[in-house]
Amino acid sequence: MARPLSNVARGKILAAATEVIRQVGVQGFSIDQVARQSGVAKTTIYRHFDSRNNLVLAAFHEAHGVHMKAVPNTGSLRDDLFEVLSTDLPTFDDRSLQAIFYGIVAATAYDEELRDLVADGRLEEGNPLVAILERAVERGEIPPGMDPMTAFGFIEGPLVIRSLFQPESLASLDLELLVDQIARALGAS
């Protein structure tokens, strides 16, 4: 019988992976570095994370706090979007998290496995935006059939663009106005 995976080891692995990414970026990241930094054996790391890319994404999610996010269900697309974007805004306003996020985005240009993992994660059932959009369709707030990736562009695009080209504007962003504009772009009634 296999031993259960240790939460202590997992925590050490994720903390070390996040620090390694901050030090050397996604391109320079390796399991060897995480093993050295964490003091956890490579075999144990691979029992928790079956690939380098899965560990990279898990480290970002841990740093971003994705694992703790509850999917809002206020009964309104607009209010659900406000909740999600309020939670996401600090990620785009945090230089260290930005570096990890954009490092992952850049790596998807040459790493097909990572690109597929990111795309699959965007569309998986646990993604808050997927759940919010599905409920909005069920309530008749938005028309059915919108491509999820297009919807994600409407929702997250404004934060991504601002963080890249006008990061100082994030602090004064009128999130209420932005959410109203996004809801209209999605065809909300």
Side-chain angles (χ1 to χ4, degrees), residues 24-83:
V24 301
V26 173
Q27 286 182 310
F29 179 87
S30 74
I31 297 290
D32 288 330
Q33 293 166 310
V34 174
R36 279 192 301 277
Q37 182 109 0
S38 68
V40 175
K42 281 175 54 174
T43 54
T44 301
I45 294 170
Y46 279 112
R47 277 197 296 271
H48 284 269
F49 304 96
D50 64 355
S51 74
R52 169 195 178 278
N53 287 333
N54 278 322
L55 179 51
V56 166
L57 292 176
F60 173 70
H61 290 153
E62 180 76 14
H64 176 43
V66 167
H67 64 288
M68 296 183 292
K69 282 188 184 178
V71 179
N73 188 4
T74 64
S76 156
L77 171 65
R78 188 220 174 273
D79 293 342
D80 288 349
L81 289 174
F82 184 83
E83 293 295 320

Side-chain angles (χ1 to χ4, degrees), residues 37-151:
Q37 182 109 0
S38 68
V40 175
K42 281 175 54 174
T43 54
T44 301
I45 294 170
Y46 279 112
R47 277 197 296 271
H48 284 269
F49 304 96
D50 64 355
S51 74
R52 169 195 178 278
N53 287 333
N54 278 322
L55 179 51
V56 166
L57 292 176
F60 173 70
H61 290 153
E62 180 76 14
H64 176 43
V66 167
H67 64 288
M68 296 183 292
K69 282 188 184 178
V71 179
N73 188 4
T74 64
S76 156
L77 171 65
R78 188 220 174 273
D79 293 342
D80 288 349
L81 289 174
F82 184 83
E83 293 295 320
V84 167
L85 291 179
S86 294
T87 304
D88 285 349
L89 189 57
T91 298
F92 290 100
D93 202 23
D94 179 311
R95 293 286 188 203
S96 179
L97 287 174
Q98 276 182 22
I100 296 171
F101 175 77
Y102 291 119
I104 291 169
V105 171
T108 64
Y110 60 85
D111 186 330
E112 191 172 328
E113 179 200 12
L114 183 60
R115 182 175 50 249
D116 290 345
L117 286 170
V118 170
D120 289 347
R122 300 302 298 145
L123 299 174
E124 70 187 16
E125 225 174 89
N127 182 318
L129 292 179
V130 170
I132 287 168
L133 293 169
E134 287 173 350
R135 283 195 305 258
V137 168
E138 288 168 12
R139 289 189 301 258
E141 289 181 276
I142 60 174
M146 176 172 279
D147 173 59
M149 288 301 190
T150 300

